[in-house]
Amino acid sequence: MSQGKVYLVGAGPGDPKLLTVYGLECIQTSDVIAYDRLVNPKLLEYAKEGAELIFCGKSPGRHHFIQDEIHTLLVNKALEGKTVTRLKGGDPCVFGRGAEEAEVLAEHGIEYEIVPGITAGIAAPAYAGIPVTHREHASSFAIVTGHGRDSKGQDHLNWSALATGIDTVAFYMGVGNLAYICKQLIDHGRSAQTPVAVIEWGTTDKQRTVTGNLETIHDLIVQENIQNPAMVLVGEVVQLRDKIKWYEKIIETETVTP
């Protein structure tokens, strides 16, 4: 039996139309699709008849598959001669553990490709009317994990650099840690009045955006019951939202249309 191949595919941030053409081709031709929790289920409708669909989703505190089991799954399916699409939300190499999976496949001599996807740190703000860069407001942009501390409480982030050296900072998975994030940025030199946006379910018809500043945003998202998945964006570019927001206007129009 000939060995199969694995495609590590970014499904994009939620809107199924933001999937790349190559990503769509991978879904359409694969024998197995191993997909994550934040993958829009509409994308699975493009799978060919008879394709095996395997849910590998993870949410805080609840893992359908642990990462080692996902590694084993990908290796075994490829060794069976299957073509496998490992479908991940956003981009596979932006907090998607795609590099870890590629390493395992390489160690086993299995052929693979990495198919980039649009990451939420850029797409969710764009759909909320917030550009991550702007000629007058932001010439630098960083994407950062919102899990600033490890299981022992040690913080590995360079808060001084993030607070004073980067114009726009996007925090992934940061809602549960937002009070800590805001305090660290303020304590390391960022103005407490720095604008902040939190975008829930970005690029989907459930998108909601709450804006404030480093001093007020935590209380505001508690009041609005903002939950994961959500993107936290810090920087002066957030001020542009009132002028150029567009997607939520479309959602509102579709909601009231009979």
Side-chain angles (χ1 to χ4, degrees), residues 13 30-31 34 38 44 73 90 99 116 139 169-170 173 180 193 196 201 208 210 217 238 242 247 249 254:
S30 287
D31 305 305
L38 296 181
L44 302 177
L73 170 71
S139 57
V169 186
M173 305 161 287
Y180 177 77
Q193 302 308 307
V196 182
W201 285 105
R208 291 195 297 158
V210 174
I217 192 63
V238 172
D242 287 340
Y247 183 62
K249 292 180 180 178
E254 292 177 344

Side-chain angles (χ1 to χ4, degrees), residues 59-258:
S59 56
R62 298 188 301 276
H63 290 180
H64 191 78
F65 276 59
I66 63 173
Q67 191 61 40
D68 286 345
E69 291 173 333
I70 294 173
H71 293 165
T72 300
L73 170 71
L74 298 179
V75 169
N76 288 345
K77 292 297 182 181
L79 291 176
E80 292 173 8
K82 304 289 182 61
T83 299
V84 182
T85 283
R86 174 71 174 106
L87 196 58
K88 296 171 169 289
D91 180 276
C93 293
V94 179
F95 305 123
R97 306 189 77 164
E100 296 173 40
E101 293 172 7
E103 286 181 285
V104 170
L105 295 170
E107 289 167 1
H108 286 81
I110 293 170
E111 187 179 0
Y112 64 91
E113 291 186 28
I114 297 174
V115 182
I118 300 173
T119 188
I122 296 170
Y127 268 50
I130 304 169
V132 296
T133 65
H134 188 281
R135 186 170 60 177
E136 296 179 6
H137 301 288
S139 57
S140 57
F141 168 58
I143 54 178
V144 183
T145 174
H147 299 311
R149 293 168 286 184
D150 62 21
S151 59
K152 297 180 181 179
Q154 184 176 0
D155 194 331
H156 300 286
L157 296 180
N158 186 339
W159 287 107
S160 294
L162 293 173
T164 62
I166 305 294
D167 295 320
T168 307
V169 186
F171 289 92
Y172 289 63
M173 305 161 287
V175 167
N177 224 15
L178 186 56
Y180 177 77
I181 289 170
C182 292
K183 183 177 187 304
Q184 291 302 306
L185 290 172
I186 294 170
D187 288 351
H188 287 83
R190 196 94 171 200
S191 168
Q193 302 308 307
T194 301
V196 182
V198 180
I199 307 157
E200 179 187 62
W201 285 105
T203 80
T204 75
D205 58 7
K206 296 186 288 185
Q207 178 175 306
R208 291 195 297 158
T209 303
V210 174
T211 58
N213 58 44
L214 286 175
E215 201 166 45
T216 64
I217 192 63
H218 179 260
D219 288 343
L220 290 171
I221 70 162
V222 170
Q223 292 172 17
E224 296 296 329
N225 193 31
I226 297 294
Q227 304 289 328
N228 279 315
M231 180 63 55
V232 178
L233 202 76
V234 179
E236 297 303 322
V237 290
V238 172
Q239 298 179 78
L240 298 170
R241 168 173 160 76
D242 287 340
K243 185 175 183 180
I244 64 175
K245 63 182 178 182
W246 61 276
Y247 183 62
E248 285 148 349
K249 292 180 180 178
I250 294 175
I251 296 174
E252 291 169 3
T253 300
E254 292 177 344
T255 300
V256 299
T257 300

